[in-house]
Every structure is written in C-alpha cells, then in structure tokens.
Amino acid sequence: MARTGIEAALNDLLFHHDLTVQEAADRHFTPEYRQRTDGRWADRAGFLDHITHLRTLVAGGHVQVHEELCDGTKYADRHTAHITKKDGSTVRTEVYVFADLAPDGRFSRIEETTLLLQGTDADRNIGSAR
C-alpha cells in the first residue's frame, strides 16, 4: 500500500461522500489509530464519531498543504482546511501535524495543533480531524 497523506485522508473523510466514513478511515488509518488534537486524545471510535458529525455540517471544501515531510514512519505537515458549511458559512483552520505511519503506510497516530483563521468558536473543531 502506498503512503497516505493528510490531504488524501481529509478529502476522503470529509468531501468524498461516495465513501462511507468507515471505508475512508480504513483506507488511511489503522485499526489502533489514536489522535491528540489541541491536547485532547481520541481513540479511533471517537475519531470516527467526530468525522460522522462533521459530515452533517460540511458541504464542501479543500485542503491546502503548505509543507509536508516524511521520513520513514514519521510524517509532519502544515495545512489549511478550507470548509464551506451547509448553512453557507465558511471556516478556515490552519493545522500543524506530527504523525506516525504504520508499515502499510496508513496513519497510526496523529498529534495536531489547530489555529482557527476564519469562523466562530463553534467552528473550532471543523477544520481538523478531531
């Protein structure tokens, strides 16, 4: 399997509704996946619950990767998620990611910090995978 990246993962999770959340997650994340966003940990089940909720809010968007580094099983990037919500409002979030990749190229752990660039406090978790 080829190595995944955050752009492909977020596109499949949030914008490609021809894939179920489970199918998108299986493509990019290991079964034991866990994530820390802004200091809060989630296991894979919590992560999938969050993505399922986000799909009810998100109408479309794109991910702009500014820098991306991969060294063996270590991955890092800085990206901006540009989101249009179903109510027509927009959200932009800059995200800094450090991650571990499994031998098959999928994410096994992500730790990220987010910076809301556009949106309200209620939108704070929309542009991240948490």
Side-chain angles (χ1 to χ4, degrees):
M1 177 183 230
R3 175 186 60 82
T4 193
I6 205 70
E7 183 177 11
L10 289 177
N11 281 336
D12 282 352
L13 288 168
L14 295 176
F15 309 128
H16 295 160
H17 292 269
D18 55 319
L19 293 173
T20 67
V21 171
Q22 188 67 47
E23 289 168 334
D26 288 347
R27 184 178 288 181
H28 301 283
F29 303 90
T30 63
E32 62 277 356
Y33 176 74
R34 61 193 184 100
Q35 177 171 319
R36 183 170 73 168
T37 301
D38 297 329
R40 293 176 35 199
W41 281 102
D43 61 10
R44 184 179 162 116
F47 167 71
L48 294 182
D49 287 346
H50 178 69
I51 295 300
T52 299
H53 172 69
L54 288 182
R55 279 193 173 194
T56 69
L57 303 175
V58 173
H62 69 280
V63 176
Q64 178 184 11
V65 175
H66 307 289
E67 288 99 19
E68 183 178 49
L69 301 168
C70 189
D71 184 11
T73 62
K74 299 297 182 186
Y75 175 94
D77 88 5
R78 180 177 69 89
H79 68 273
T80 301
H82 301 264
I83 306 290
T84 301
K85 293 170 50 179
K86 290 181 179 177
D87 68 5
S89 63
T90 58
V91 179
R92 278 188 313 122
T93 304
E94 187 170 354
V95 185
Y96 300 82
V97 172
F98 292 93
D100 290 328
L101 297 168
D104 67 5
R106 295 183 294 167
F107 289 116
S108 61
R109 179 193 59 87
I110 286 180
E111 296 193 39
E112 64 182 15
T113 300
T114 64
L115 175 62
L116 183 65
L117 302 174
Q118 178 183 356
T120 66
D121 279 343
D123 297 325
R124 195 154 300 280
N125 288 327
I126 288 181
S128 70
R130 156 72 183 104

